[in-house]
Amino acid sequence: MFLNGTYIGFNFMQNQKITVATVLKPQGIRGEIKVKVLCDDAEVLKSFKNLLIDGEEVSVMSVRAQGDVAYLTLRGVADRNAAELLRGKNLEALREDMPALPEGRYYIADLTGCEVVTSSGEVLGEVTSVTPARTDIYTLKTPAGEISFAAAEGVIEEVNVPARKITVNKKRFKEVSV
């Protein structure tokens, strides 16, 4: 469940669910749905027996993974009309059902709300969002407005999720921030 070096997900301090996909459209007439997978590998959806839609648990009957999309058949979604009602909805998984995180990988929402500081302790701002890309783009809220920076090599020195703090190299940060 990784997206370009960052683990997609939710705020571990507040929530026990993680968004793993968004329903794009119905596929065919038998209730199958096409979803945009919010993970590095759509194959990970095959590991879930159940997902949540609007907080309601649904059983996953089948998954066909194809790049960054997948085709799912869900129990209770018997035809195209039922599948159409799911368009635009998020599919969530319980945190306990997620694979273990390797070192150096994080849920995006775990990073959201973290304070960004330089190695000398200067507070730069708070992470408001992380945009997945080849090199993830972090957006900070600062007293002067928004700042974005690429998580390029050498920019982020340490991520301490439990302390809600990300330490950056000030020189590299200034080179890549806008």
Side-chain angles (χ1 to χ4, degrees), residues 70-177:
Y71 301 91
L72 280 69
T73 303
L74 305 173
R75 179 164 299 197
V77 183
D79 60 25
R80 185 177 185 87
N81 291 334
E84 183 64 47
L85 296 174
L86 301 177
R87 187 186 292 259
K89 295 194 181 266
N90 289 327
L91 300 178
E92 298 174 313
L94 296 175
R95 182 179 191 144
E96 63 205 36
D97 295 338
M98 300 303 298
L101 294 171
E103 190 170 328
R105 303 292 276 246
Y106 309 94
Y107 293 103
I108 286 177
D110 284 350
L111 302 174
T112 302
C114 284
E115 182 177 60
V116 176
V117 299
T118 65
S119 48
S120 64
E122 177 187 350
V123 177
L124 299 174
E126 181 181 302
V127 177
T128 57
S129 68
V130 178
T131 303
R134 175 161 277 195
T135 302
D136 294 339
I137 307 298
Y138 288 61
T139 302
L140 307 180
K141 179 175 72 175
T142 72
E146 282 191 349
I147 296 175
S148 295
F149 73 94
E153 188 176 331
V155 176
I156 296 176
E157 293 179 346
E158 180 183 15
V159 175
N160 186 336
V161 171
R164 312 292 297 142
K165 186 178 286 189
I166 298 172
T167 305
V168 296
N169 176 294
K170 186 174 183 177
K171 180 179 182 245
R172 284 289 290 140
F173 176 83
K174 287 188 179 240
E175 292 172 354
V176 299
S177 63

